[in-house]
């Protein structure tokens, strides 16, 4: 299928990278604190020793831009890219344009882990760790059930459904025993997703693993293209089909679980962004995966910008992605419905 | 046949023997037994009310009590089962469990946010007379205490408690009203593990802060009963609060070393106050008469010169009068960590 908005082949990715960088700079300049965007430029010039700022103003700007806005911007890009590329890779592996990274239960697992951590310790660290561990565990159980019944694609999906249901039940149980006055609302907000708690040290701690996962998935693009022809054809080309499939599942699971650790539950990105990317890049995974990552970052920056700039109350970002995502998705469906052959 | 009829008649009489009709605080007529010895409080604030007025009638608690908190309860209440309640969140009561406790009456929370008919229906099903008590704002508590005291035969003690509340609130209000609005301390109420949830100044959740003369920086009408509205750190920074009041020990400990929060004046000055929570919360969640102590505590923190307070003495007196316990020195230390003004 020809991509309707195709840019010249070589120009697309650099264009998206520039767009992403621009979106990041813009996000750094905007916020609830009344601050002229040009002062942000001043701040960076002063850091480089090219202009003068009063030390007091410098400290305030440092606090605003480096401590408060920068972690959010970085987290938005990482989480958006991770979810989008996981979604695109899953859609390729399962040969189904309607799957999202949560297919094998990773998000349900991570959510129940975060809730457990919140109720039984309240410590931020423990919460993040529990979210990651339970996300991985949920997928392991899903894949295990699938493998037990022959490891076919259908069985994997069924295993994921069972595992997701199990961990959703665990989450409900945790909600039930939580203290209704303090813990329950905190869990509910966590599940709506938010980048508000991201700190530089969190981002620094989780970024390497996320980047590794994103790069691994990005590098598997050509292999996934070969896989798209069907298992047997790919096997004759010498591609270890099962290994590739589990590698994608492993990498996507790791980074999706980490997104929950960092920002709670953010839906739609992994389902929607790959479709938008496909309109720009065409169906080839070698270009689609990196394009999805860039667009995911841009999309989440936009959503977070709305979440934190709209009013004095912060809108949970999961709600924003849903509200933005649904009309965008309908548009994509309308444009692309002829182009999908499973 | 006649025997059976007689027996039935006898049963009916027995049913109404020693019953009286009362009017509850929602204006409903309720038939209750003459002697009320077993009472079920169907929501957290009502358990606090029962703890204050007639702890010996309590059958269960509506929320789990953790180990840290357990020692703050009188011995009898420490052993009560957790049976939940009707408040639309958390642990729902089980009708059969409640029936097995054989309550004479149940107390329910009369609130604009709570569906009265639903609660009536639930208790009608198990045949327990339900009495509604109005407890929306702190000013409702003296009346609620007197009413419950009358009902359960503890009028004298309840009267002393009601008078304590009225007298202390008047004392704080006298000091606070003299402070002009532009001189009031700007307060941010930090909730949630990350301190980025808060409640409007018009919400019942933050009533204690307003009564203590704090200027809650988050000015709005509450959207719902639950509250805990999310707010971004930049918004907090823009509000520039001089004091942070929080429910979360972990947050208070972490925030001082957090670079992101350093631009907030309250953090720079180290004025972060953790609300004492045991056995019942002093400020909110559940909202109760504990707020009288909370208001005095906050007023003394906001305006140490205008409202000096011997907090430990006041706390001892309050716990003795309302909760029937004598907190030890160690317990007071854990409740009231040293603070910076």
């Amino acid at each position: 299928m020809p991509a309707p908005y195709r840019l010249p082949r070589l120009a697309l990715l650099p264009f998206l990278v520039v767009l992403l960088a621009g979106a990041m700079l813009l996000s750094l300049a905007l916020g609830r604190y009344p601050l002229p965007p040009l002062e942000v430029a001043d701040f960076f010039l002063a850091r480089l020793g090219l202009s003068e700022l009063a030390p007091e103003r410098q400290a305030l700007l440092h606090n605003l831009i480096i401590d408060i806005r920068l972690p959010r911007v970085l987290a938005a890009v990482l989480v958006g890219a991770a979810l989008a590329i996981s979604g695109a890779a899953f859609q390729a592996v399962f040969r189904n344009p309607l799957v999202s990274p949560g297919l094998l239960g990773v998000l349900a697992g991570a959510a129940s882990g975060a809730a457990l951590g919140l109720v039984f310790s309240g410590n931020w660290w423990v919460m993040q760790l529990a979210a990651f561990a339970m996300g991985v565990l949920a997928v392991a159980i899903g894949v295990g059930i699938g493998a037990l019944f022959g490891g076919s694609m259908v069985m994997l999906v069924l295993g994921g459904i069972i595992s997701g249901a199990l961990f959703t039940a665990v989450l409900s149980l945790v909600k039930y025993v939580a203290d209704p006055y303090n813990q329950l609302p905190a869990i509910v907000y966590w599940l709506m997703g938010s980048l508000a708690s991201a700190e530089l040290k969190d981002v620094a701690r989780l970024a390497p693993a996320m980047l590794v996962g994103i790069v691994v998935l990005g590098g598997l693009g050509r292999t996934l293209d070969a896989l798209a022809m069907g298992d047997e054809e790919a096997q004759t080309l010498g591609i270890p089909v099962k290994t590739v499939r589990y590698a994608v599942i492993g990498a996507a699971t790791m980074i999706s679980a980490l997104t929950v650790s960092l920002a709670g539950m953010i839906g739609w990105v992994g389902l929607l962004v790959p479709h938008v990317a496909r309109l720009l890049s065409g169906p080839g995974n070698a270009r689609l995966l990196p394009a999805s990552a860039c667009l995911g970052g841009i999309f989440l920056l936009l959503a977070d910008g709305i979440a934190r700039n709209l009013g004095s109350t912060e809108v949970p970002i999961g709600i924003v992605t849903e509200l933005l995502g649904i009309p965008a998705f309908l548009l994509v469906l309308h444009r692309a419905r002829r182009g999908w052959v499973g | 046949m006649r025997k059976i009829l007689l027996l039935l008649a006898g049963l009916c009489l027995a049913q109404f023997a020693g019953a009286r009709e009362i009017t509850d605080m929602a204006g409903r007529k309720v038939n209750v037994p003459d002697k009320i010895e077993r009472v079920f409080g169907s929501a957290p604030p009502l358990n606090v009310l029962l703890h204050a007025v007639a702890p010996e009638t309590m059958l269960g608690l509506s929320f789990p009590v953790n180990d840290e908190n357990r020692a703050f309860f009188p011995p009898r209440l420490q052993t009560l089962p957790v049976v939940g309640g009707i408040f639309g969140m958390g642990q729902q009561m089980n009708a059969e469990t409640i029936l097995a406790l054989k309550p004479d009456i149940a107390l329910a929370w009369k609130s604009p946010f709570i569906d009265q008919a639903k609660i009536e229906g639930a208790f009608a099903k198990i045949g327990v007379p339900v009495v509604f008590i109005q407890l929306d704002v702190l000013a409702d508590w003296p009346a609620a205490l007197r009413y419950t005291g009358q009902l359960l035969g503890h009028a004298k003690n309840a009267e002393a408690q009601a008078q304590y509340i009225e007298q202390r609130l008047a004392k704080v209000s006298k000091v606070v009203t003299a402070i002009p609005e532009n001189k009031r301390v700007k307060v941010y109420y930090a909730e949630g593990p990350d301190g980025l949830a808060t409640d409007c100044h018009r919400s019942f959740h933050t009533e204690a802060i307003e009564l203590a003369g704090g200027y809650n920086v988050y000015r709005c009408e509450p959207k719902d009963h639950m509250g805990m509205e999310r707010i971004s750190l930049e918004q907090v920074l823009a509000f520039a609060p001089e004091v942070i009041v929080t429910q979360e020990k972990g947050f208070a400990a972490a925030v001082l070393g957090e670079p992101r929060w350093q631009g907030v004046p309250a953090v720079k000055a180290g004025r972060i106050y953790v609300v004492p929570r045991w056995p019942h919360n002093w400020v909110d969640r559940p909202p109760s008469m504990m707020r009288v102590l909370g208001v005095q505590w906050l007023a003394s923190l906001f305006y140490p010169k205008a409202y000096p307070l011997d907090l430990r003495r006041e706390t001892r007196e309050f716990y003795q009068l309302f909760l029937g316990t004598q907190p030890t020195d160690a317990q007071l230390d854990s409740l009231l960590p040293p603070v910076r003004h």
Side-chain angles (χ1 to χ4, degrees), chain A residues 32 69 180 189 196 313-314, chain B residues 89 218 228 230 232 234-235:
Chain A
R32 287 295 300 173
R69 288 181 191 173
Y189 280 119
T313 307
E314 172 147 345
Chain B
M89 54 204 259
Y218 192 60
M228 274 199 166
R230 297 296 299 180
S232 67
E234 270 194 54
Q235 185 63 64

Side-chain angles (χ1 to χ4, degrees), chain A residues 31-33 63-64 67-69 176-177 179-182 184-186 189 196-199 308 312-314, chain B residues 44 89 91 193-194 196 218 223 226-235 237-238 258-260 263 277 285-286:
Chain A
R32 287 295 300 173
Y33 196 92
N63 184 226
L64 265 177
D67 292 332
I68 294 178
R69 288 181 191 173
Y176 177 76
V177 300
D179 162 14
Y181 277 105
N182 291 306
L184 189 64
Y189 280 119
S197 313
E199 290 172 44
R308 65 194 172 92
S312 66
T313 307
E314 172 147 345
Chain B
M89 54 204 259
Q91 304 206 340
D194 59 0
L196 289 174
Y218 192 60
K223 294 184 187 59
M226 185 175 101
M228 274 199 166
E229 300 182 9
R230 297 296 299 180
I231 183 169
S232 67
L233 185 45
E234 270 194 54
Q235 185 63 64
L237 204 60
E258 258 233 43
R260 293 187 313 151
R277 294 181 59 172
R285 301 184 194 269

Side-chain angles (χ1 to χ4, degrees), chain B residues 98-272:
Chain B
I98 305 305
L99 207 53
L101 291 171
K102 300 196 184 66
D104 296 325
I105 62 165
L107 297 186
W109 189 358
K110 178 191 176 299
S111 158
F113 289 108
I114 291 170
D115 183 352
Q116 196 172 310
K118 219 163 126 186
I119 295 180
E120 284 176 14
F123 285 108
K125 242 191 328 216
I126 52 176
V128 174
V130 59
V131 175
F132 280 88
I133 309 283
Q134 178 156 354
L135 304 163
D136 282 334
V137 290
L138 186 49
D140 288 339
W141 275 79
L145 285 162
R146 288 185 177 113
Y147 180 90
T148 317
Q150 285 283 354
L151 183 67
L152 305 179
H154 286 281
K156 195 159 152 267
N157 192 25
E159 181 59 36
Q161 293 170 343
Q163 280 182 11
Y164 171 96
I165 295 180
E166 284 160 349
Q167 194 259 325
R168 291 300 194 284
L169 281 184
K171 191 173 149 192
V172 176
S173 149
K174 207 169 114 193
V175 171
V176 164
T177 43
I179 302 168
E181 178 142 310
N182 58 9
K183 288 265 193 311
R184 296 208 169 180
V185 174
K186 292 189 343 191
V187 184
Y188 171 64
Y189 182 46
E191 297 176 275
D194 59 0
L196 289 174
T198 189
D199 275 301
C200 301
H201 78 295
R202 299 291 302 271
S203 161
F204 71 90
H205 290 294
T206 57
E207 201 198 357
I209 293 173
E210 295 287 307
L211 288 172
Y215 178 88
N216 183 344
V217 290
Y218 192 60
R219 318 295 289 173
C220 52
E221 285 291 339
K223 294 184 187 59
D224 57 18
H225 191 65
M226 185 175 101
M228 274 199 166
E229 300 182 9
R230 297 296 299 180
I231 183 169
S232 67
L233 185 45
E234 270 194 54
Q235 185 63 64
V236 178
L237 204 60
F239 283 145
E242 301 155 77
V243 164
I244 292 178
V245 175
T246 180
Q247 296 279 5
E248 303 277 342
K249 254 191 197 145
F251 166 73
V255 75
L256 290 173
E258 258 233 43
R260 293 187 313 151
W261 284 80
Q262 292 316 307
V264 179
V267 178
K268 266 192 213 136
R271 294 186 73 183
I272 295 161

Side-chain angles (χ1 to χ4, degrees), chain A residues 180-181, chain B residues 41-49 62-63 87 109 280 286-287:
Chain A
Y181 277 105
Chain B
S42 67
L46 296 156
N47 277 309
V48 184
L49 176 74
S62 45
F63 43 82
F87 39 94
W109 189 358
H280 309 294

Side-chain angles (χ1 to χ4, degrees), chain A residues 35 76 81 90 97 111 126 137 143 146 159 186 191 247 320:
Chain A
L35 189 72
F90 263 37
V126 174
L137 178 70
V143 171
L191 295 180
V320 181

